[in-house]
Amino acid sequence: MLNTFSRRTLLGLVAATALSTGAASASPATDFVNNFGTKLVGIVNSGQSLDAKKQQVLPLLQQNLDIEGIGRYCLGRYWHTATPAQQQKYISLFDQVLVNTITDQVGNYQGVSFHIVGSTSTPDGERVRALIDRPGQPEVNMQLIISGNPPKVVDMFGEGASLRMNQRGDYSSYLSRHGGDVDALNTALEHQLAHHH
């Protein structure tokens, strides 16, 4: 169900939160990205096993991503038609699927660096822009939307596409084919988790 996330976008989350070497003017949003990234890059670049890295990255992601907010946005208008029990189950499943999708990429990248090139205010939060350098690959332009108190990642853009918008389109399409049945979506997410390796 998260197939519409491009690998580059997801890897961009890991890369964009890597240690910043830029000298962009500090703001709460850029400070947050630097702090989150310093912790994340320390795990990703460590010599530990992939399983050990995933175990350490998991709480870091759950603390720094607004998983419930992203999940609610992705469900769109169907959030309001779901029962409280369906909503609770969906958020629990969405949390696992999203975190799995990101942690699966942890072992694939090392030696990543980036620098913040600026930030601007948007209706959704502060948009922090970064250029990401990956060994032997083209530079990537990545943007994180930071909002809330305490601040959290509420969306990310890679290759010009919004993670939330892509996933919302995917879920809306699925639900429209299944009569708006959130239970059907939850079952599909459970199926995805059951087949996760």
Side-chain angles (χ1 to χ4, degrees), residues 1 93 96-97 100 186-197:
M1 293 300 300
L93 294 167
Q96 295 173 64
V97 170
N100 281 351
N186 284 341
T187 298
L189 293 174
E190 286 177 324
H191 182 75
Q192 182 177 351
L193 287 167
H195 290 83
H196 178 259
H197 301 292

Side-chain angles (χ1 to χ4, degrees), residues 113-169:
S113 65
F114 95 121
H115 60 279
I116 293 174
V117 295
S119 65
T120 54
S121 294
T122 74
D124 292 327
E126 192 80 5
R127 183 186 293 244
V128 178
R129 298 183 311 282
L131 292 176
I132 301 148
D133 293 313
R134 300 172 297 165
Q137 297 197 39
E139 193 172 56
V140 175
N141 184 331
M142 186 72 195
Q143 300 173 36
L144 299 177
I145 308 298
I146 311 299
S147 186
N149 186 16
K152 292 190 176 187
V153 176
V154 297
D155 197 5
M156 63 194 82
F157 289 76
E159 302 175 309
S162 158
L163 176 151
R164 293 191 310 178
M165 289 297 290
N166 282 349
Q167 201 53 44
R168 185 173 183 156

Side-chain angles (χ1 to χ4, degrees), residues 5-73:
F5 286 176
S6 74
R7 285 175 56 86
R8 192 168 171 190
T9 298
L10 287 167
L11 292 170
L13 171 64
V14 174
T17 53
L19 180 63
S20 170
T21 57
S25 59
S27 72
T30 56
D31 287 348
F32 164 80
V33 171
N34 281 326
N35 182 49
F36 175 27
T38 299
K39 295 173 184 173
L40 190 57
V41 78
I43 297 168
V44 171
N45 287 337
S46 74
Q48 300 177 84
S49 70
L50 182 57
D51 284 344
K53 289 181 184 181
K54 286 184 178 183
Q55 288 302 313
Q56 291 181 45
V57 167
L58 177 64
L60 192 61
L61 293 175
Q62 290 176 323
Q63 179 183 354
N64 291 285
L65 271 63
D66 181 7
I67 293 174
E68 181 172 350
I70 295 169
R72 286 180 65 156
Y73 184 92

Side-chain angles (χ1 to χ4, degrees), residues 1 11 15 19 23 26 37 68 71 75 81-83 88 92 101 106 109 153 156 174 180:
M1 293 300 300
L11 292 170
L19 180 63
E68 181 172 350
L75 201 57
T81 63
T83 67
Q88 184 176 13
S92 174
T101 304
V106 165
Y109 275 71
V153 176
M156 63 194 82
Y174 182 88

